[in-house]
Amino acid sequence: MLFNNPFKKDGNWYKGAIHVHTTNSDGRLSPREAIKLYKKYGYDFMVITEHGKIFDYSSLSTPDFLLINGVEYGVGEMTNGISYHIVAIDVPADLKLKNDKSTQSVIDQIRSAGGEAIIAHPYWYGMNLIDLIRLKNYIGIEVFNWGCEGDIGGGRGLSSVHWDGVLSAGHRVFGFAVDDVHYYTYDVAGGWIMVKAPELTKEDIMEAIRKGEFYSSSGPKVLNLEVSEERIRLECDGARFINFVTIPTVGKRLDAEGNKPLTYCEVDVSKDLFFGGKPRGYIRIELENNEGKRCWLNPIFLD
Ligand SMILES: [Zn+2]
Ligand SMILES: [Zn+2]
């Protein structure tokens, strides 16, 4: 079993927006205005990811609000003829791509430069599983993109099918909820990550992200999680259902009874999730509250 449980780690929870555009590309607010707004929404850190160009925003960091450098590259071509969008986080401001035609090469260069690559909004631009499975070396995908959920032709923010597709193919990747904010109206503060880290520093936040010690949300809070080979226990602030997603044909959905939301659940891994069969692949937990807002925990990878 491979799972770094953030709820068993010392530290604090930090709320982060990791896909943000400002007036330095096609966003409507300046970096300073964007920071002010996200602070108002209770965020602790932000990765500003302009299109195609890395800006060094680290000097805007304060003790209570951290900026990590990022960028969003449009590169290569998916089977539908549209470019891949790769969000890079924690990249040096002076990173110069040598080969910017190959998607895999760009991902590899982001990694070599010390950063992490995230596959942006799979459902929104019609990415299919072939497009996704042929890539490697990325840390995760945007399981939820709030901007794409409300964008023109909307409702294309949720990419859990893509995530389960790559997980079922054996790729060990995390799920990120993001805003991809441009307008700062319908597209702000609707998708974020909660990271457990000792301190609000770039090093601590990035180490936690790399280890998967975070969860993604568009509303609900997870309060505790206990994971062993035999049992999983979860506490949250209220869910109308909790899904335990595994490889196809097994797994479990727990529904609240009547109007009383679920705040606790417990499952027996072999008996409840795998029907007595041998647990394999992965288990991930997602839940939805009464407002239709969701929360996604990172996968527990089984041997
Ligand atoms: Zn994009
Ligand atoms: Zn974007």
Side-chain angles (χ1 to χ4, degrees):
M1 180 175 273
L2 179 64
F3 181 63
N4 295 314
N5 188 346
F7 293 87
K8 292 287 159 253
K9 174 186 178 178
D10 290 334
N12 307 296
W13 287 102
Y14 297 107
K15 182 176 181 177
I18 61 159
H19 187 164
V20 171
H21 299 278
T22 76
T23 45
N24 278 327
S25 59
D26 54 355
R28 296 284 170 89
L29 292 188
S30 72
R32 283 178 196 280
E33 290 167 329
I35 290 165
K36 203 174 153 195
L37 187 61
Y38 273 96
K39 275 175 89 165
K40 203 183 93 187
Y41 282 116
Y43 284 67
D44 303 292
F45 72 94
M46 183 193 262
V47 188
I48 301 179
T49 53
E50 311 291 14
H51 294 284
K53 186 163 182 222
I54 306 172
F55 290 81
D56 189 356
Y57 292 118
S58 54
S59 64
L60 299 179
S61 289
T62 55
D64 65 342
F65 198 87
L66 174 71
L67 272 291
I68 298 173
N69 288 339
V71 62
E72 180 175 18
Y73 292 120
V75 59
E77 195 175 289
M78 302 188 292
T79 36
N80 65 8
I82 298 172
S83 298
Y84 286 88
H85 287 196
I86 307 295
V87 166
I89 61 175
D90 192 21
V91 276
D94 59 357
L95 172 64
K96 295 274 176 292
L97 297 178
K98 289 190 187 70
N99 170 359
D100 60 1
K101 300 285 182 289
S102 149
T103 312
Q104 187 59 58
S105 165
V106 167
I107 292 172
D108 294 341
Q109 290 177 72
I110 292 165
R111 285 293 300 275
S112 310
E116 298 294 343
I118 298 165
I119 311 296
H121 43 58
Y123 183 34
W124 179 71
Y125 58 176
M127 174 179 271
N128 65 40
L129 273 179
I130 295 167
D131 298 322
L132 203 44
I133 285 172
R134 67 185 176 195
L135 298 177
K136 57 183 172 47
N137 219 11
Y138 57 93
I139 191 170
I141 74 163
E142 289 179 354
V143 63
F144 185 69
N145 183 308
W146 177 234
C148 295
E149 187 68 9
D151 203 357
I152 298 160
R156 294 184 73 130
L158 182 60
S159 297
S160 49
V161 170
H162 297 79
W163 195 18
D164 285 314
V166 280
L167 290 170
S168 295
H171 296 221
R172 294 186 163 184
V173 296
F174 301 135
F176 294 84
V178 303
D179 276 345
D180 197 357
V181 60
H182 290 80
Y183 301 99
Y184 296 86
T185 53
Y186 66 84
D187 55 355
V188 69
W192 58 86
I193 58 173
M194 295 298 296
V195 180
K196 185 78 166 289
E199 285 185 58
L200 186 64
T201 62
K202 188 186 83 142
E203 290 68 29
D204 284 3
I205 293 289
M206 284 309 303
E207 187 188 335
I209 289 175
R210 290 188 172 100
K211 289 164 85 176
E213 292 167 340
F214 67 93
Y215 69 89
S216 289
S217 183
S218 64
K221 269 199 180 102
V222 179
L223 304 174
N224 195 23
L225 178 68
E226 288 174 37
V227 176
S228 73
E229 302 276 344
E230 295 80 32
R231 308 194 78 74
I232 300 172
R233 296 187 181 91
L234 176 122
E235 288 171 57
C236 66
D237 66 349
R240 67 183 189 93
F241 65 78
I242 301 173
N243 285 334
F244 289 80
V245 185
T246 66
I247 53 169
T249 77
V250 289
K252 191 171 187 71
R253 175 180 165 123
L254 301 169
D255 280 288
E257 282 177 30
N259 290 325
K260 196 168 175 295
L262 289 167
T263 55
Y264 175 79
C265 75
E266 180 172 342
V267 293
D268 181 314
V269 171
S270 341
K271 204 166 97 227
D272 296 333
L273 303 187
F274 290 86
F275 306 132
K278 184 176 157 37
R280 63 190 178 95
Y282 68 96
I283 303 163
R284 68 171 186 87
I285 305 164
E286 64 176 29
L287 55 95
E288 184 172 298
N289 69 13
N290 280 341
E291 286 79 53
K293 303 294 187 187
R294 288 200 179 198
C295 172
W296 303 264
L297 283 92
N298 275 320
I300 299 158
F301 297 112
L302 307 170
D303 303 325

